[in-house]
Each structure stands twice: as structure tokens, then as C-alpha cells.
């Protein structure tokens, strides 16, 4: 039976540590850490994600300084809002919730965020810092995967890792982080031929393809560690009658892969909670740096 890479449990432990760091630094800093989650439009999934992030902030003592703008807000006004948050001394982290409404290009708006307040680690400068191994806020989802692997004691040095997906949000930074941990990394994408042959070579397989239940038993080497980043809401099964509810699933066919794997992350309760945790870590670390506070209690979470 595979070890469960339990993101909910680890996220709760990280939150306790963050609470302690925030409480210890509050007097010296003279203000709590501040995170601004900026939401534009009414994407329903984003509404749930933003609410989860705001609840997590309030649990550990981060002030929520976010804004919710109408879907029709012109790009110049969104940019002006980002610039106000950049200049606001109470704000340590800014997150622009994606996706944006059609018509708003995310590139220039992400680029407008002060790199030192980039709570999501997606600014070009911060991706460059990751590439060069320089300190800086890291992309939350792959950083969360690294924390899950470290907590489970998964050895990466010298192991073969395969990342399925090459997005800037997940796949690319994931591959860089695994490489920095001395794994030998391959990246698969939609043009990869014979995906199963490649993924079967993996000691550590991270799946971020955004394709529900893409990866099954035929893709996994027995004894591999499998991390499922994908998250999808499936419509209710009409066969289950009128009371049937929608279900969440990942990119991995959990029931097929779990019996083969040494360790596996579930969906929900795996990578999702870790993404939120790393957002909080980025914000608290930025607050510590701004006020000359000791962030070493969180050093093991920094990649
Ligand atoms: P994305 O931007 O759509 O990228 C998907 C990547 O997977 C692309 O590089 C694509 O290749 C590749 N791909 C698609 N189909 C494939 C196939 N059949 N075989 C191999 N590779 C394939 O998605 P994303 O933003 O990286 O997100 C991936 C998944 O993670 C989504 O389900 C998303 O909802 C989830 N996610 C979860 C969290 C969390 O906190 N749990 C956070 C972020 C994302 P090409 O480059 O060739 O198109």
C-alpha cells in the first residue's frame, strides 16, 4: 500500500509554524503581514480559490488586503490597482488570481507586480532567479510539491524524475526545482511520443497535464512516487440519479496507480492545500525580510 502524500496534514503543520513566526515578529514589525489577492471578474472556481486563500490568511494572522474588480475593468485600471498595492507599505505579497476575463492579457499585469511582492513567484525576474538558483519567491504549486516530497523523505539526488506538463505555472518551475535537488529530469508535453514509455522510467513522477485521469497503471513503474497536480470537477454521473453530486479528480487514475506506487498524493487533499501554504510562506518571508526579522525557522521550506 502506497504512503499517502497528505497535503492537508502537512499544510496544517506549516500553518502552525507560520502562526508562531508571525506572532513572534508582530511587535518588532509593528504590523501584521499583508497579502493582496486581486480578483478580476466572476470566474466561479477562482471565487472558491480566493475564499480559501483568504481563510488561510486569517488563520495565521496575515491581513487580507485584496480587491475584487469587475470583469469589465480596463487593463489600465487593473494595472493602476497593482501599482497602488506595490506602493502600499502594508502589503508584502500580491497575487493576481488567474484566469483573467477574456480581453485582459495576463503577461503585462503579472509583469507590473513588484518582484519582491510577487507572492505567486510568477514574475519573470523570479522565474529567472529560480533558473539561476538565486533566492526569491518561488512558484507556489511546484514549491508545495517539493515540500510534500521532502516531508515524506523522498530521496531526489540521482533519481530519475519525469514531469508531465511544461506550463510556466507548474511544469517548467517544477522541472527546475527537481533538477536543483539533483534529480535527472525529463519533461513531457502534448507532443511527446509514447508518454507511457517515458513515465515508466520515472522514480518520481509529477503529473501536471490538466487532463482528467490521463495517467494510469500503464504509465507507472512499480515503486515510483507519484504526485498528481491536476484538479478537475467532473459532472455528476447521470446514472446516480437526481441527487448525484459533482466529484473532483486529478490527472492520475488513483485507484489504478495507488497499488503500484511507493507514495502518491490524493486529489483533493494533496497538492492543492500545499499551494495555499506556499503562498502564505512567500508572504510571511517577504514580511520578515522587509522588517529584518528572522526567517530561519522557515528555511527548510525555501527552495
Ligand atoms: P496547462 O497550462 O494547461 O498546461 C498543461 C501542460 O500539460 C502543457 O504543457 C501540455 O503540453 C501538457 N499536456 C497536455 N496534454 C498532455 C498529454 N496528453 N500528454 C502529455 N502532456 C500533456 O495547465 P497547468 O496550469 O500547468 O495546470 C495543470 C493541471 O494542474 C490543471 O489540472 C490545473 O487545474 C492543475 N493545477 C492545480 C493546482 C493546485 O493547486 N492543485 C495549481 C495549478 C494548477 P503543451 O505544452 O504541449 O500544450
Amino acid at each position: 500500500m502506497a504512503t499517502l502524500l497528505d497535503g492537508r496534514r502537512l499544510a496544517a503543520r506549516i500553518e502552525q509554524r507560520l502562526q508562531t513566526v508571525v506572532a513572534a515578529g508582530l511587535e518588532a514589525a509593528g504590523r501584521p503581514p499583508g497579502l493582496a489577492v486581486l480578483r478580476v471578474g466572476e470566474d466561479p472556481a477562482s471565487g472558491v480559490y480566493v475564499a480559501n486563500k483568504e481563510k488561510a490568511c486569517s488563520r495565521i494572522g496575515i491581513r487580507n488586503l485584496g480587491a475584487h474588480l469587475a470583469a469589465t475593468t480596463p487593463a489600465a485600471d487593473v494595472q493602476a490597482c497593482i501599482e497602488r498595492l506595490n506602493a502600499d507599505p502594508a502589503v508584502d505579497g500580491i497575487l493576481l488570481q488567474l484566469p483573467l476575463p477574456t480581453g485582459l492579457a495576463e503577461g503585462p499585469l503579472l509583469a507590473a507586480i513588484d518582484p519582491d511582492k510577487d507572492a505567486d513567484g510568477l514574475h519573470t525576474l523570479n522565474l529567472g532567479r529560480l533558473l539561476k538558483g538565486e533566492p526569491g519567491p518561488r512558484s507556489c504549486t511546484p514549491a508545495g510539491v517539493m515540500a510534500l516530497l521532502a516531508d515524506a523523505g523522498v530521496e531526489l539526488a540521482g533519481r530519475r524524475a519525469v514531469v508531465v506538463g511544461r506550463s510556466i505555472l507548474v511544469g517548467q518551475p517544477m522541472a527546475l526545482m527537481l533538477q536543483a535537488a539533483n534529480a535527472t529530469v525529463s519533461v513531457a508535453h502534448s507532443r511527446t511520443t509514447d508518454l507511457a514509455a517515458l513515465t515508466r522510467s520515472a522514480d518520481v513522477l509529477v503529473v501536471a497535464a490538466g487532463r482528467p485521469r490521463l495517467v494510469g497503471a500503464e504509465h507507472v513503474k512499480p515503486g515510483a512516487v507519484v504526485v498528481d497536480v491536476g484538479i478537475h470537477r467532473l459532472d455528476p454521473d447521470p446514472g446516480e440519479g437526481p441527487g448525484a453530486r459533482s466529484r473532483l479528480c486529478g490527472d492520475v487514475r488513483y485507484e489504478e496507480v495507488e497499488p503500484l506506487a511507493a507514495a502518491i498524493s490524493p486529489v483533493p487533499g494533496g497538492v492543492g492545500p500545499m499551494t495555499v501554504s506556499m503562498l502564505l510562506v512567500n508572504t510571511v518571508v517577504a514580511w520578515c525580510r522587509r522588517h529584518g526579522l528572522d526567517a530561519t525557522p522557515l528555511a527548510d521550506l525555501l527552495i
Side-chain angles (χ1 to χ4, degrees), residues 130-131 142 146 161-167 170-188 206:
L130 169 63
L131 183 67
M146 294 302 284
V162 174
V163 179
V164 184
R166 58 176 169 183
S167 71
V170 188
Q172 302 276 12
M174 186 77 254
L176 290 170
M177 288 179 196
L178 289 165
Q179 192 173 225
N182 294 316
T184 303
V185 184
S186 302
V187 177
V206 180

Side-chain angles (χ1 to χ4, degrees), residues 141 164-167 169-170 189-190 208-211 229-232 272 275:
T141 301
V164 184
R166 58 176 169 183
S167 71
L169 185 63
V170 188
H189 46 78
S190 65
R211 297 280 177 270
V229 178
I231 182 145
H232 312 275
T275 299

Side-chain angles (χ1 to χ4, degrees), residues 14-26:
I14 292 173
E15 281 191 17
Q16 276 177 358
R17 292 172 57 190
L18 289 168
Q19 253 171 7
T20 309
V21 171
V22 171
L26 204 48

Side-chain angles (χ1 to χ4, degrees), residues 179-264:
Q179 192 173 225
N182 294 316
T184 303
V185 184
S186 302
V187 177
H189 46 78
S190 65
R191 307 289 287 273
T192 298
T193 51
D194 203 349
L195 179 69
L198 180 67
T199 55
R200 274 199 307 270
S201 71
D203 301 309
V204 177
L205 176 60
V206 180
V207 190
R211 297 280 177 270
R213 296 173 54 76
L214 172 73
V215 164
E218 72 279 20
H219 294 88
V220 176
K221 175 167 79 175
V225 172
V226 180
V227 180
D228 189 353
V229 178
I231 182 145
H232 312 275
R233 188 167 287 283
L234 299 180
D235 290 336
D237 183 348
E240 284 177 20
R245 307 231 315 250
S246 65
R247 287 173 297 127
L248 292 178
C249 79
D251 288 356
V252 174
R253 281 171 252 144
Y254 186 89
E255 71 290 353
E256 277 183 27
V257 172
E258 191 274 342
L260 281 174
I264 185 167

Side-chain angles (χ1 to χ4, degrees), residues 43-217:
D43 177 69
S46 292
V48 175
Y49 295 144
V50 170
N52 285 341
K53 288 166 186 170
E54 290 174 348
K55 277 188 228 151
C57 282
S58 68
R59 284 197 297 271
I60 68 153
I62 292 180
R63 212 170 139 208
N64 165 29
L65 298 160
H68 185 180
L69 306 178
T72 50
T73 310
D77 292 1
V78 182
Q79 174 138 355
C81 180
I82 291 173
E83 281 161 10
R84 268 197 307 279
L85 295 168
N86 283 343
D88 186 339
V91 173
D92 300 291
I94 303 170
L95 178 150
L96 180 63
Q97 184 68 41
L98 303 177
L100 295 173
T102 1
L104 276 185
E106 64 186 49
L109 294 174
L110 287 173
I113 295 173
D114 175 346
D116 291 325
K117 292 190 175 187
D118 173 28
D120 231 357
L122 291 179
H123 191 284
T124 305
L125 180 70
N126 288 322
L127 292 168
R129 285 170 167 163
L130 169 63
L131 183 67
K132 294 185 78 176
E134 293 172 3
R138 298 298 193 231
S139 319
C140 298
T141 301
V145 172
M146 294 302 284
L148 261 185
L149 294 173
D151 185 65
V154 174
E155 183 60 57
L156 291 170
R159 310 285 299 283
R160 174 105 205 198
V162 174
V163 179
V164 184
R166 58 176 169 183
S167 71
I168 291 296
L169 185 63
V170 188
Q172 302 276 12
M174 186 77 254
L176 290 170
M177 288 179 196
L178 289 165
Q179 192 173 225
N182 294 316
T184 303
V185 184
S186 302
V187 177
H189 46 78
S190 65
R191 307 289 287 273
T192 298
T193 51
D194 203 349
L195 179 69
L198 180 67
T199 55
R200 274 199 307 270
S201 71
D203 301 309
V204 177
L205 176 60
V206 180
V207 190
R211 297 280 177 270
R213 296 173 54 76
L214 172 73
V215 164

